[in-house]
Amino acid sequence: YAEPYLQFKLLPLDDKGIDRARLLDRQTIHVPTKIISDVQQISKTSPIPTDRDTELGDTEAQLLFLGTGSAIPSKHRNVSAIFLQCTSKAAMLLDAGEGTLGQLSKVFGSDGGLDKLAAVWISHPHADHHLGLPRILTQRAARFPHLDPIVLMAPTPVLSWLREYAQILGHETKLSSAYTPVDCTMICHKEVPHPCAQTLQKVLSLERCWNIRVDHCAHAYGLILHSVHGWSLCYSGDCRPTPELARQAKQVTVLIHEATFEDDKYLDAVAKKHSTLSEAISIGSDMNALRTVLTHFSQRYPDLPLLKPGQGDSLILASDFMTLSLPNLLWAPNLLPVLQALHGHHAGDADEGPLF
């Protein structure tokens, strides 16, 4: 059986065969004492108090972060993708960067959870947010031909690119029939009925779903949705702080906001139309979001970004394969010290250093 760090050498021929020299000895793995003490401390803590507990009562809804890095994949973070499970049987993807299907397969096995996937929403035309789409759509159509096509909400250039891609691949891939296109321009007002409103409500239990133009590139959007079960979610996509998004997402249950740069890179954030950590946190405060989850970190930060004291009270820093159920959002911010001890940060000065 395969084990971590097990190798099979092909060359040189004298050494050909299985090499177990680097296998981990689980009995001697060193776990820093700070991690042990932090975990013990968390086990004694209570959920962070809130007067909005009823919004977190849905035990079926959960967030699975498949990619939390920006621009290109790295060994620590894949590019943007979030698997939002709305019910026990149905989910939607928020962005789908390259490698998203591989990330799904690591979690759900060979089928990749595609039988649950009913909708996909793409925030803007940059490749790190949509390059995984063709593979996901074609694989779902091939493996589950009896299911209805995916509702694909995307900006105009992404839909145009996908049509051209389908023509190149040919009809045998079934890409063109694998999805029902909904242009983001058609869902820019919460008062206007969604073209696929019946599907969203019946399958995903979503009462409302609309997007808002945000300050990033042309055709960039943020998403707001409300569940029939009382919770709501806002996803910023990539953007500078956008007051209109904050206004329309007031009192949102969960804000997922990009935080590409640390605060000392403010000029870079402005030039590239991204947000800093403090700006993203401020937007969450303006919305009065119950919980704020930060994602889309620059790959220049291989570990956790550096927070200022007091910034983590209702804050969650996303990492690849992090899963958050709604009830767990009550105490999830308490995990921050453990994550910091596990990962360290690029400017870290912990005595024992990060575990990984």
Side-chain angles (χ1 to χ4, degrees):
Y1 296 97
E3 298 179 64
Y5 294 100
L6 180 68
Q7 294 183 336
F8 187 91
K9 291 186 177 180
L10 295 175
L11 295 172
L13 293 178
D14 291 344
D15 293 332
K16 184 177 179 180
I18 293 175
D19 180 3
R20 300 179 178 274
R22 299 184 64 210
L23 290 184
L24 295 175
D25 182 353
R26 299 181 184 276
Q27 302 300 318
T28 61
I29 292 177
H30 171 64
V31 179
T33 55
K34 178 172 174 50
I35 294 178
I36 297 175
S37 63
D38 284 340
V39 170
Q40 291 173 339
Q41 186 63 32
I42 284 177
S43 67
K44 301 174 184 177
T45 59
S46 301
I48 297 175
T50 172
D51 56 359
R52 296 165 59 185
D53 290 5
T54 55
E55 296 178 44
L56 302 177
D58 187 352
T59 57
E60 294 185 358
Q62 66 177 20
L63 290 160
L64 168 61
F65 290 86
L66 300 168
T68 56
S70 67
I72 59 174
S74 73
K75 67 178 182 179
H76 295 281
R77 299 180 186 274
N78 197 42
V79 288
S80 296
I82 303 167
F83 189 81
L84 171 61
Q85 187 159 313
C86 299
T87 72
S88 61
K89 298 181 179 180
M92 69 182 293
L93 267 179
L94 310 180
D95 282 332
E98 63 184 282
T100 296
L101 182 59
Q103 298 288 84
L104 283 168
S105 298
K106 290 177 183 177
V107 177
F108 295 107
S110 59
D111 286 339
L114 297 180
D115 55 330
K116 292 184 177 182
L117 192 59
V120 178
W121 182 84
I122 303 297
S123 61
H124 64 287
H126 287 167
D128 60 320
H129 290 256
H130 68 74
L131 210 56
L133 261 180
R135 186 72 172 161
I136 289 171
L137 295 173
T138 55
Q139 287 299 303
R140 182 182 181 274
R143 297 178 187 181
F144 305 101
H146 62 285
L147 296 179
D148 291 334
I150 282 177
V151 176
L152 175 59
M153 298 164 275
T156 305
V158 175
L159 295 177
S160 299
W161 166 76
L162 209 52
R163 286 194 296 270
E164 293 179 12
Y165 197 85
Q167 290 174 359
I168 294 171
L169 291 180
H171 294 294
E172 64 274 6
T173 64
K174 300 182 180 180
L175 176 57
S176 59
S177 60
Y179 64 96
T180 300
V182 177
D183 197 300
C184 283
T185 58
M186 301 172 65
I187 53 173
C188 276
H189 303 281
K190 63 180 178 180
E191 294 84 6
V192 177
H194 193 289
C196 297
Q198 186 173 1
T199 300
L200 294 181
Q201 182 160 2
K202 181 180 178 181
V203 179
L204 293 167
S205 296
L206 295 180
E207 184 177 31
R208 286 183 292 169
C209 175
W210 75 99
N211 48 220
I212 297 164
R213 291 294 299 270
V214 294
D215 183 15
H216 183 54
C217 63
H219 307 283
Y221 297 88
L223 176 71
I224 302 173
L225 52 83
H226 288 253
S227 169
V228 298
H229 300 297
W231 57 267
S232 57
L233 180 144
C234 175
Y235 173 46
S236 70
D238 285 9
C239 66
R240 292 288 299 144
T242 304
E244 182 61 18
L245 185 68
R247 188 187 70 81
Q248 292 201 33
K250 280 286 186 184
Q251 299 293 120
V252 72
T253 307
V254 185
L255 166 64
I256 304 172
H257 203 288
E258 73 117 290
T260 307
F261 293 102
E262 289 185 351
D263 293 348
D264 63 344
K265 297 289 184 182
Y266 171 77
L267 294 179
D268 288 328
V270 172
K272 298 178 181 180
K273 294 197 172 183
H274 285 294
S275 298
T276 66
L277 288 168
S278 291
E279 287 175 326
I281 294 169
S282 179
I283 287 292
S285 178
D286 291 344
M287 288 182 182
N288 196 26
L290 183 57
R291 291 290 182 265
T292 298
V293 186
L294 301 186
T295 187
H296 196 267
F297 304 112
S298 169
Q299 303 290 16
R300 62 166 47 83
Y301 310 128
D303 301 304
L304 291 184
L306 183 60
L307 293 174
K308 296 176 181 176
Q311 282 187 322
D313 293 344
S314 62
L315 190 66
I316 301 162
L317 299 182
S319 57
D320 285 21
F321 302 114
M322 175 183 283
T323 302
L324 294 170
S325 68
L326 286 188
N328 285 347
L329 287 172
L330 279 173
W331 59 264
N334 290 329
L335 283 176
L336 189 56
V338 172
L339 292 175
Q340 289 172 328
L342 279 169
H343 294 282
H345 56 75
H346 55 281
D349 55 1
D351 293 337
E352 296 176 285
L355 179 62
F356 301 117

